[in-house]
Amino acid sequence: MGKKHQPKADNLLAQNKKARHDYNILETYEAGIALTGTEIKSVRAGKVTLRDGFARVRNNEAWLENVHISPYKEGNQFNEDPLRNRKLLLHKREIKKLLAAAMQQGHTIVPLRMYLKHGYAKVLIGVAEGKKNYDKRETLKRKDQQRDIQRALKDRY
């Protein structure tokens, strides 16, 4: 299993809540992301959408695809394509683990969060396994029960 990485709430720039609903996350990895100057400014402003994104390993390099980073307002001709593929910065052994995990049937690599760490943009990616519809309903039911329990305990104490 990969390490559990939890960024501080104030550094969180974007979160993919749909990923935890649609997938079981098996392991997570923290990756740097190669961005241009106007892209990092847009990321710092929180103009990122991770919802439909995924990662792919090609030629022993990890790439983040289909993640939308809005063009920077003052960027002019220096703005890049909002949906361009961006290189993920990982160690070789992590890339090999990701490749092995993604080759298994039904597994994919999805971005979970984007945040700042020591001034650098980081992406928390997870190796995920797709959920069936009945699993999604079971998860929602369990979540509602936990919320009811917490509400009852709060009223009690």
Side-chain angles (χ1 to χ4, degrees):
M1 280 298 229
K3 296 178 187 172
K4 294 287 181 183
H5 300 282
Q6 293 296 328
K8 295 178 186 171
D10 56 294
N11 292 336
L12 188 64
L13 301 170
Q15 190 169 356
N16 188 356
K17 293 181 181 179
K18 193 85 170 146
R20 296 213 185 261
H21 180 263
D22 291 341
Y23 301 102
N24 286 323
I25 308 301
L26 305 175
E27 43 186 329
T28 60
Y29 296 93
E30 180 182 66
I33 182 168
L35 299 172
T36 63
T38 55
E39 283 180 328
I40 189 64
K41 289 181 179 189
S42 197
V43 165
R44 287 178 192 273
K47 308 281 188 196
V48 181
T49 305
L50 298 174
R51 177 170 292 149
D52 298 325
F54 61 95
R56 183 180 288 168
V57 178
R58 276 186 274 132
N59 299 331
N60 293 324
E61 294 179 336
W63 294 87
L64 188 63
E65 300 183 8
N66 211 24
V67 170
H68 188 277
I69 296 179
S70 297
Y72 185 57
K73 192 169 71 172
E74 285 85 25
N76 299 342
Q77 76 268 18
F78 301 110
N79 280 328
E80 297 282 343
D81 177 31
L83 287 173
R84 78 176 182 93
N85 299 339
R86 294 165 182 93
K87 188 174 182 179
L88 292 175
L89 308 173
L90 291 161
H91 292 283
K92 280 188 178 183
R93 67 180 178 274
E94 291 176 328
I95 292 174
K96 287 180 182 177
K97 285 181 186 178
L98 282 175
L99 181 61
M103 295 299 269
Q104 293 180 9
Q105 185 68 29
H107 289 184
T108 187
I109 306 167
V110 292
L112 302 173
R113 298 171 176 216
M114 187 177 284
Y115 52 93
L116 291 176
K117 185 174 180 182
H118 304 297
Y120 295 104
K122 302 285 184 178
V123 178
L124 184 68
I125 57 174
V127 176
E129 181 179 43
K131 284 186 184 177
K132 304 284 187 213
N133 280 336
Y134 57 84
D135 290 334
K136 293 178 190 179
R137 285 192 296 269
E138 185 65 34
T139 304
L140 288 174
K141 191 185 305 181
R142 200 174 313 120
K143 193 173 176 182
D144 286 343
Q145 290 172 347
Q146 285 295 333
R147 193 178 308 123
D148 291 342
I149 290 169
Q150 290 299 325
R151 197 176 295 138
L153 287 175
K154 182 179 173 187
D155 292 343
R156 191 173 189 179
Y157 295 105

